[in-house]
Amino acid sequence: SSLTFAQDYNLIHWDKNRPLTWDDFNGTPNATSPHDAETVTVVTSEWEGEQTHEGKVNVTSVTATAFFNSSASWVKEGKKSDDLLKHEQGHFDIAQIHAKEKQKEMEKVVGKLFASAEEVEKKIHEICDKIQKELDKMN
């Protein structure tokens, strides 16, 4: 389940009422990086379906979720500022925008029949790749 996944990787679920704090940045700073901080985000996607009598797969639900990776995100010593934290929050907010975009795109496959679970995975991967390219551009 995504909850254990989140705990295992020290992930923080995006929540408008729970902004990031410097305590969330637990990664080891990259000394060679020109940046004072780095935010690492993950957008997961899950789907559920049921098999029809003909052996096809009917997609019943999809979920895209934005997480902040606390273990991989870092800030350099002496560089913490309110402005920098706001900037890093912006990266997390962009991940949430893309989770919503991905959710919207993935919802188009709900109620559709696929030949197999592999076909569903392939379609979801196509959507994820497209959204990831947009995310990279925006960041």
Side-chain angles (χ1 to χ4, degrees), residues 52-104:
T52 66
H53 296 299
E54 304 83 39
K56 289 184 165 46
V57 176
N58 177 29
V59 179
T60 54
S61 74
V62 292
T63 314
T65 312
F67 292 102
F68 172 85
N69 186 328
S70 194
S71 301
S73 300
W74 51 263
V75 61
K76 287 181 180 168
E77 198 59 51
K79 296 296 184 181
K80 294 174 184 172
S81 72
D82 290 348
D83 282 348
L84 183 58
L85 186 58
K86 274 194 196 94
H87 175 86
E88 297 308 317
Q89 179 69 50
H91 288 294
F92 194 15
D93 293 345
I94 288 170
Q96 173 62 9
I97 291 165
H98 279 82
K100 283 189 154 146
E101 286 293 309
K102 191 188 276 192
Q103 178 80 31
K104 217 164 53 185

Side-chain angles (χ1 to χ4, degrees), residues 10-26 68 70 85 89 92-93:
N10 203 358
L11 301 179
I12 297 166
H13 190 287
W14 189 92
D15 180 346
K16 70 178 181 345
N17 300 313
R18 200 279 188 208
L20 295 174
T21 70
W22 285 125
D23 291 338
D24 297 327
F25 291 74
N26 298 310
F68 172 85
S70 194
L85 186 58
Q89 179 69 50
F92 194 15
D93 293 345

Side-chain angles (χ1 to χ4, degrees), residues 2 24 29 31 33 40 45 49 51-53 97 103 110 125 136:
S2 60
D24 297 327
S33 171
V40 177
S45 47
Q51 208 153 20
T52 66
H53 296 299
I97 291 165
Q103 178 80 31
V110 172
H125 277 294
D136 294 343

